[in-house]
Amino acid sequence: MGTTGMSCKRRQPTSTNPPKSLQSRGSDTEPKPPPLEAIRDNWLLAVQEENAQAAGWCARLCEGFRGAEAFAACDGLEAFLHVAMGQSMKDDGAQKGGLMVALAQALMTDMPSFKVAIFETLAAAARWPSLRGQVAGSGVLGVVTATLLAPRHPPPIKGLMAKLVGLCSTDAPEPALLGDPRRVEEFAKMRGQLLSSGTPKALVALLGSDGACVAAAGTLALLAGPDGQSDETTRKALVEAGMVEALMAQMPGWVKPSGSADVEVDGRDDASMPGDANLPQTKPKTVDGDQSASEDDEDIALPAVLTALTAVARCEGSGAAELWEPLCKAENLHLLRDLLKDDAPVAVSKQAIEQVLTCLSTLGRPAPGPAAVPAIDDSLAADLRRLLVLGSEAVGVYLKALLSNRKYAAQLGDLRPLRQSLRVTKLHSEVVTALESIQACDQCGKTSEIAVLSCGGCKKAVYCSRECQKAAWKSHKTSCAGASKR
């Protein structure tokens, strides 16, 4: 630990309870943090007394950017990193222990609440781009992965480690855009460390664990991220670990593929997915009394899983096609599509629906590979219309993508209800423009994959087929400008 922490006299903080203003994360109106002396008092109490409450105060402080910067400015972050790496100043204030101690503790002892709060503080601080490099470059990733891989720790602890794995091995988007070669190389080395330890398979296995699914999905999304934050080798490891298959196994209505064998994962009997013996079985999520996770857990987990799937769908560059290829399978597209139904297998939050629509919109792109879309029919059009009325934002993007393809537009069926819904909501002007540019049949409201037929008399009425033109003639001939000339 730095000399500053060792030479200071131990002092009691004025309060170990965090100010209420520090409990709002990422607020644009984040208040001024406490004085540096007060922050220093708290982290000194935490490391010298191994005080979990004081360490938790620091964790909540670092949830705000200004608080995290102040914590680092008074050497708190450096001190906590040393504690996480196995050093201790308890009792006499002298430094004891080290990395080997930390690794032994990760493998053989349960993590005390004080240590949990230390790692929570590191995770909160590493969220901020200006501090992520310091946390990632400290060497703490070795302790984090050892804790993650050790079977003795409960899911919440593993979830915390999974979160730190992502933060320590992938750069924040802002610095990544700058393309600093040295920084890119350092984070690539961190990912290499993860791959050599088999961490991707452990992360995938955590997807089936209550209490760790959200963190594991978030880290997998980061590892699958864009070039500069990920790389071909990492994506290949995610493919080998069965990332997409395991994510889909968390979806409502998922059914275990036939022929999959049961294996033991983390001390419990689970079922493997095809291609990897380390993947857990996950029961289809239902609304029955046998549902293994609470509704609150599922409300959180499902959007996290969908966010990870969307990250996969957005992948471009080396190794991306192999990663998102399983997501394009018909059965997986069907599972995503089912979440948009009014009678979906579970109650789906608005956030989850927006993620589904975003994922489907991304998969429907024509490049870099062929578009992947679920079955398109009038029932999909009805669900999209309902979501329009409910105020969904992402549905507009998805609709625009479908309407830009004549084949998909024709499969949506009668377009008149969609037009009506768009007029009522008065939203999505780009979708309105796209829809109005499509000539729909005056008889059935559908468009055609090929050019529509126009009335030979008035040249205004259009039809999708000869059958519709004949069916409409009885009512149309009274207003047809060309009928009287015949």
Side-chain angles (χ1 to χ4, degrees):
M1 192 175 300
T3 57
T4 304
M6 294 178 61
S7 61
C8 290
K9 183 179 179 181
R10 186 179 305 165
R11 292 170 291 183
Q12 293 295 327
T14 55
S15 172
T16 56
N17 294 320
K20 292 182 179 179
S21 57
L22 293 177
Q23 297 180 13
S24 59
R25 176 180 299 195
S27 172
D28 294 335
T29 58
E30 182 187 346
K32 183 178 179 180
L36 293 183
E37 183 178 355
I39 297 174
R40 183 185 180 84
D41 284 342
N42 272 280
W43 74 251
L44 275 172
L45 175 64
V47 299
Q48 292 176 344
E49 297 287 352
E50 295 191 356
N51 187 304
Q53 189 176 12
W57 185 93
C58 296
R60 290 186 289 272
L61 175 72
C62 289
E63 290 179 352
F65 173 70
R66 297 171 68 181
E69 288 280 340
F71 182 71
C74 66
D75 300 321
L77 183 57
E78 180 185 357
F80 275 35
L81 283 167
H82 281 286
V83 173
M85 295 282 286
Q87 294 186 8
S88 172
M89 288 177 58
K90 189 177 181 181
D91 298 329
D92 58 5
Q95 288 179 319
K96 300 179 289 293
L99 180 57
M100 297 308 297
V101 172
L103 293 175
Q105 290 173 344
L107 295 173
M108 295 184 291
T109 64
D110 295 333
M111 184 176 291
S113 57
F114 158 70
K115 213 61 173 292
V116 173
I118 290 290
F119 283 107
E120 286 175 342
T121 303
L122 299 183
R127 290 175 55 245
W128 307 107
S130 59
L131 300 178
R132 185 174 295 191
Q134 181 179 351
V135 177
S138 67
V140 75
L141 183 59
V143 179
V144 169
T145 53
T147 307
L148 176 68
L149 296 172
R152 68 175 304 112
H153 298 292
I157 300 297
K158 291 199 172 190
L160 176 58
M161 297 302 113
K163 183 177 182 180
L164 272 165
V165 163
L167 294 171
C168 290
S169 60
T170 60
D171 204 356
E174 297 85 352
L177 290 174
L178 299 177
D180 181 354
R182 183 176 178 181
R183 191 173 173 109
V184 171
E185 182 181 358
E186 289 300 317
F187 276 99
K189 288 180 180 178
M190 300 297 176
R191 291 193 295 275
Q193 181 179 336
L194 296 181
L195 303 188
S196 63
S197 65
T199 301
K201 289 185 178 181
L203 290 170
V204 167
L206 284 179
L207 290 172
S209 175
D210 296 340
C213 176
V214 173
T219 292
L220 289 169
L222 291 174
L223 292 174
D227 288 337
Q229 291 177 269
S230 185
D231 52 69
E232 182 178 8
T233 305
T234 301
R235 290 170 179 159
K236 182 179 179 181
L238 295 176
V239 172
E240 293 174 351
M243 170 184 170
V244 170
E245 293 87 346
L247 286 168
M248 293 307 303
Q250 313 311 311
M251 296 284 288
W254 177 82
V255 178
K256 173 186 169 184
S258 59
S260 301
D262 289 346
V263 296
E264 186 174 308
V265 179
D266 287 343
R268 66 187 188 279
D269 290 333
D270 286 315
S272 67
M273 292 286 294
D276 199 301
N278 291 306
L279 296 180
Q281 176 188 11
T282 302
K283 296 179 180 179
K285 307 292 192 302
T286 68
V287 293
D288 300 332
D290 294 332
Q291 187 175 2
S292 59
S294 68
E295 292 183 6
D296 290 340
D297 290 339
E298 187 161 315
D299 286 344
I300 298 173
L302 184 56
V305 168
L306 291 169
T307 298
L309 291 173
T310 302
V312 169
R314 286 175 170 166
C315 277
E316 295 181 358
S318 303
E322 292 79 4
L323 186 58
W324 49 251
E325 183 179 359
L327 187 53
C328 299
K329 292 181 178 179
E331 58 268 28
N332 291 335
L333 294 172
H334 179 72
L335 287 175
L336 291 170
R337 160 69 183 95
D338 280 351
L339 293 181
L340 302 179
K341 294 181 177 179
D342 195 20
D343 58 346
V346 294
V348 185
S349 67
K350 182 178 180 180
Q351 179 188 2
I353 288 175
E354 297 295 277
Q355 287 290 352
V356 171
L357 291 166
T358 301
C359 187
L360 290 175
S361 298
T362 307
L363 289 172
R365 66 192 176 194
V373 295
I376 301 175
D377 50 28
D378 52 1
S379 67
L380 176 61
D383 287 324
L384 296 179
R385 179 191 178 193
R386 175 175 51 83
L387 294 174
L388 277 173
V389 174
L390 293 176
S392 168
E393 296 180 5
V395 70
V397 179
Y398 187 44
L399 257 177
K400 184 181 177 184
L402 293 178
L403 294 173
S404 63
N405 185 300
R406 184 183 289 271
K407 175 183 177 181
Y408 301 155
Q411 292 173 349
L412 285 172
D414 190 350
L415 299 178
R416 290 172 295 189
L418 279 174
R419 284 196 173 99
Q420 181 182 2
S421 297
L422 286 166
R423 293 191 192 102
V424 171
T425 59
K426 298 181 180 179
L427 299 173
H428 309 294
S429 58
E430 293 183 355
V431 183
V432 173
T433 301
L435 193 57
E436 294 300 332
S437 67
I438 296 176
Q439 289 184 308
C441 178
D442 285 351
Q443 173 65 13
C444 68
K446 301 178 182 179
T447 189
S448 173
E449 291 188 32
I450 57 177
V452 294
L453 305 173
S454 60
C455 174
C458 64
K459 309 295 184 182
K460 295 181 179 180
V462 294
Y463 304 98
C464 64
S465 64
R466 291 289 183 187
E467 290 74 17
C468 277
Q469 185 176 17
K470 292 179 180 178
W473 176 244
K474 185 175 181 180
S475 59
H476 175 61
K477 67 180 179 180
T478 58
S479 60
C480 181
S484 59
K485 299 179 181 179
R486 296 184 178 183

